[in-house]
Amino acid sequence: MAETELERAEKRYAQAKARLQKKKNREATKARKLDTRRKIILGGLLLDAAMKDPAWESRLTDLMDRISRDQDRKAFEGWTFKGGPA
């Protein structure tokens, strides 16, 4: 059975839609990776500042006291700014 013009158009539309979604997904992935990279760099800078300056250590300790999720708090159990256990 021969494909009608409408069926061909619908097929091209579906393919174009799939390509567009793929491009959107790639852009979203790039944006998430960049956001994660920025957070890691900023976190490293904050930790470095806290290890070198008691004022920064105090500020960061205050921020860490705001962590509300239990699973996030557990990541810092026994940890100090000097890199060793408390």
Side-chain angles (χ1 to χ4, degrees):
M1 181 168 145
E3 211 175 18
T4 67
E5 188 176 332
L6 179 59
E7 289 170 334
R8 285 191 301 273
E10 286 176 342
K11 186 176 179 180
R12 286 193 309 270
Y13 171 73
Q15 290 170 340
K17 192 174 175 181
R19 283 192 307 271
L20 177 61
Q21 188 60 48
K22 190 174 182 178
K23 287 181 182 187
K24 285 182 178 182
N25 291 345
R26 266 197 307 266
E27 287 300 314
T29 297
K30 282 172 53 176
R32 279 193 309 276
K33 286 182 178 183
L34 182 58
D35 183 57
T36 299
R37 179 170 166 70
R38 288 175 178 151
K39 289 175 183 176
I40 290 168
I41 292 168
L42 186 55
L45 289 170
L46 289 170
L47 292 174
D48 185 57
M51 286 189 271
K52 293 177 180 176
D53 183 343
W56 274 101
E57 182 176 354
S58 175
R59 288 183 193 115
L60 205 48
T61 298
D62 291 344
L63 285 174
M64 290 174 60
D65 288 341
R66 295 181 181 184
I67 298 172
S68 58
R69 291 176 33 169
D70 288 337
Q71 67 189 48
D72 294 340
R73 283 185 164 286
K74 286 180 183 178
F76 293 98
E77 284 180 1
W79 180 83
T80 68
F81 291 108
K82 305 305 179 204

